[in-house]
């Protein structure tokens, strides 16, 4: 049943880390920002995304070499880094909270887009590139709209802490 899910130990690590990242990333989006729990779960999300991205760079089965999903892993790595640097160096960033929230939010939304693409391409008869682009664009559009609505609420939550 799971033979097509992952084709190697690296693939399984990628899948498990991805599932952890989706679960804790979702929890982070809905939790109160700045709490001790949020910080702990945030570091778990960061560690799982580091594992997702490292393993992504070690998987070449689909294209036989560096491909578009490796480019997505580069973007994901940069987004994650851009989200964590303001937290780690808060005193050097005037609007560290806005930078952190924005980049980390888009890190999770990018993960959702990857999940949607991975899921849809497994449907028999689906055209690979159209489904990947469609799923990614739809999830990103929904994510952008949700971000614009939620950011004010998150800022108010953070200011109370």
């Amino acid at each position: 049943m799971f033979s097509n899910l992952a084709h190697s130990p690296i693939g399984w690590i990628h899948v498990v880390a991805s599932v952890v990242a989706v679960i804790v990333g979702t929890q982070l989006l809905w939790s109160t920002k700045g709490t001790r729990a949020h910080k702990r779960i945030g570091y778990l999300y960061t560690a799982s995304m580091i594992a997702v991205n490292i393993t992504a760079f070690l998987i070449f089965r689909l294209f036989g070499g560096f491909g578009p999903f490796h480019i997505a892993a580069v973007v994901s790595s940069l987004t994650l880094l851009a989200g964590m640097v303001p937290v780690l160096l808060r005193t050097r960033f005037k609007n560290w909270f806005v930078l952190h929230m924005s980049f980390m939010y888009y890190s999770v939304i990018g993960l959702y887009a990857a999940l949607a693409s991975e899921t849809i391409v497994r449907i028999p008869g689906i055209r690979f590139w159209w489904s990947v682009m469609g799923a990614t664009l739809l999830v990103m559009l929904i994510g952008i709209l949700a971000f614009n609505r939620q950011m004010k609420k998150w800022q108010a939550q953070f200011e109370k802490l």
Side-chain angles (χ1 to χ4, degrees):
M1 176 178 171
F2 296 110
S3 62
N4 285 333
L5 190 58
H7 299 280
S8 69
I10 295 292
W12 277 109
I13 293 168
H14 185 76
V15 168
V16 170
S18 298
V19 169
V20 170
V22 166
I23 292 168
V24 297
T26 300
Q27 185 175 0
L28 287 167
L29 291 182
W30 293 102
S31 68
T32 302
K33 310 305 177 234
T35 64
R36 180 179 287 174
H38 177 83
K39 292 172 188 177
R40 287 181 178 164
I41 295 166
Y43 285 116
L44 177 58
Y45 174 77
T46 300
S48 62
M49 283 303 296
I50 289 168
V52 167
N53 287 325
I54 287 172
T55 55
F57 291 121
L58 301 173
I59 299 171
F60 298 100
R61 185 171 187 274
L62 190 57
F63 294 101
F66 194 86
F69 297 114
H70 295 105
I71 294 169
V74 169
V75 172
S76 175
S77 297
L78 292 173
T79 304
L80 187 65
L81 180 65
M84 288 306 296
V85 166
V87 168
L88 299 172
L89 302 174
R90 309 183 187 176
T91 58
R92 296 180 188 211
F93 290 92
K94 181 180 178 184
N95 294 322
W96 73 268
F97 171 75
V98 173
L99 291 171
H100 171 69
M101 286 297 303
S102 300
F103 283 110
M104 295 309 284
Y105 179 86
Y106 283 110
S107 173
V108 176
I109 296 305
L111 181 63
Y112 289 167
L115 174 63
S117 296
E118 179 67 30
T119 301
I120 203 163
V121 297
R122 293 184 181 272
I123 299 171
I126 296 291
R127 292 183 178 245
F128 183 83
W129 288 112
W130 288 111
S131 62
V132 168
M133 287 187 297
T136 299
L137 290 175
L138 179 62
V139 170
M140 292 305 290
L141 177 63
I142 292 168
I144 289 167
L145 294 173
F147 176 79
N148 289 333
R149 290 185 64 191
Q150 290 293 107
M151 188 56 170
K152 289 178 186 173
K153 175 184 148 192
W154 290 331
Q155 285 176 312
Q157 278 181 356
F158 184 75
E159 288 170 0
K160 290 179 186 177
L161 299 175

